Amino acid sequence: EALAGAMREYGADARLVVRGAHRLEAHYASGGLEGCTNATREASVVATELLGALRRADSSGASALQACAAACASSRPSGGAVFIDRLAAHGGLACVLETLSTHPDDGEVQRAGLGILGHARLLDREASVRLSAPRAVDAAFEALSRHQGDPKLVGLAALALYNAAHADMGAAATVAGECRLIVASLQGCEAESARAAGCWALGALAALEGLRESGERVSLAVAVKKAGAFELFAETLARFPVSSIAHRNATLARGQLRDALESPEPPLNARDGSSGPCSVRTV
């Protein structure tokens, strides 16, 4: 909180704000909210100052976004969820999307933003209602098209796309039309964490349905299958050991896709209170 206060006091100096954001990032990367007696208060204070930096059109925005991502990802799940809640409540998700759009070629910024957009907390309706799902889909696909060789980014983009599709059926229809880019990006990834996240996302997407502006409903299961997901799952199972998260997630996703193609059950995003499969998302 003291560091956030210093950022507030010296906010007119972009260099000091950048330095403060980097120190906050290091603080959260080393444990951050763990052990904090009032995580909600700390998250609210820090989110407010970081958002101030994000809203400025200078170099401090990129550093602030990375600090936000570290706060969301580095602590216990409950702590990260608290920060996401406060960030969303202060209008931070729109700032995340804006920062991504102004730094399209900066891999670190893209990973940071997609890490926030792919956080599991955004499956909660209270948080996801503050997200512009169509813009999130555009941001994730733009990042994939520019950074296909970055395995961590590919995994994070896949998770962000699932969150957006889960939140909005129009966004889900857009994802359905571009599933081949997700699969193609994952096929180029040898990193286990990226494969694990990507397979998880594809399996989860298969349970959803999209809605085009014309009123036509779109099955994401069909789109995922046509994109070559079964082949990706088979290759993942052959490449990674049975004990790996990538192998487990590919097995789960293959079953989810089969079930979605054969099941008469309503799509997951048409049911009340649904959030997605219970498994390890990871990146």
Side-chain angles (χ1 to χ4, degrees), residues 190-229:
E190 296 185 2
E192 181 193 345
S193 59
R195 284 292 185 103
C199 287
W200 184 96
L202 287 168
L205 282 168
L208 304 182
E209 185 176 70
L211 185 66
R212 295 199 173 106
E213 289 184 4
S214 64
E216 178 189 0
R217 293 184 176 273
V218 183
S219 166
L220 268 79
V222 172
V224 167
K225 177 188 175 184
K226 287 183 176 178

Side-chain angles (χ1 to χ4, degrees), residues 18-260:
V18 169
R19 189 179 302 173
H22 280 310
R23 289 187 179 178
L24 278 170
E25 180 184 5
H27 167 67
Y28 285 114
S30 65
L33 293 169
E34 290 189 40
C36 178
T37 56
N38 193 335
T40 301
R41 183 169 185 273
E42 176 175 328
S44 186
V45 170
V46 173
T48 299
E49 298 314 313
L50 288 176
L51 283 174
L54 276 176
R55 290 185 173 113
R56 277 192 288 275
D58 57 33
S59 59
S60 61
S63 298
L65 183 61
Q66 290 169 282
C68 287
C72 293
S74 68
S75 54
R76 295 171 184 164
S78 59
V82 167
F83 192 87
I84 283 280
D85 285 344
R86 300 322 305 154
L87 187 71
H90 289 301
L93 298 178
C95 291
V96 169
L97 290 167
E98 187 60 30
T99 304
L100 286 174
S101 71
T102 55
H103 297 78
D105 296 315
D106 189 323
E108 288 188 6
V109 170
Q110 294 296 311
R111 286 193 296 274
L114 292 172
I116 295 170
L117 298 178
H119 195 285
R121 182 61 175 174
L122 288 181
L123 293 175
D124 182 87
R125 287 183 179 177
E126 247 182 72
S128 67
V129 73
R130 302 175 187 276
L131 174 68
S132 171
R135 285 188 67 195
V137 167
D138 290 344
F141 278 128
E142 179 68 17
L144 276 180
S145 67
R146 290 174 180 266
H147 303 277
Q148 282 194 37
D150 184 330
K152 186 173 179 65
L153 184 148
V154 169
L156 291 169
L159 296 177
L161 286 166
Y162 173 70
N163 283 0
H166 182 273
D168 183 273
M169 293 182 75
T174 303
V175 172
E178 299 290 341
C179 276
R180 288 189 185 277
L181 179 55
I182 305 173
V183 174
S185 299
L186 288 166
Q187 285 171 334
C189 286
E190 296 185 2
E192 181 193 345
S193 59
R195 284 292 185 103
C199 287
W200 184 96
L202 287 168
L205 282 168
L208 304 182
E209 185 176 70
L211 185 66
R212 295 199 173 106
E213 289 184 4
S214 64
E216 178 189 0
R217 293 184 176 273
V218 183
S219 166
L220 268 79
V222 172
V224 167
K225 177 188 175 184
K226 287 183 176 178
F230 277 129
E231 292 79 3
L232 175 71
F233 300 152
E235 196 271 336
T236 302
L237 293 172
R239 179 188 292 268
F240 296 95
V242 175
S243 60
S244 69
I245 297 176
H247 194 286
R248 293 200 298 272
N249 281 9
T251 302
L252 172 71
R254 182 177 60 182
Q256 289 172 313
L257 180 52
R258 285 174 177 165
D259 289 346

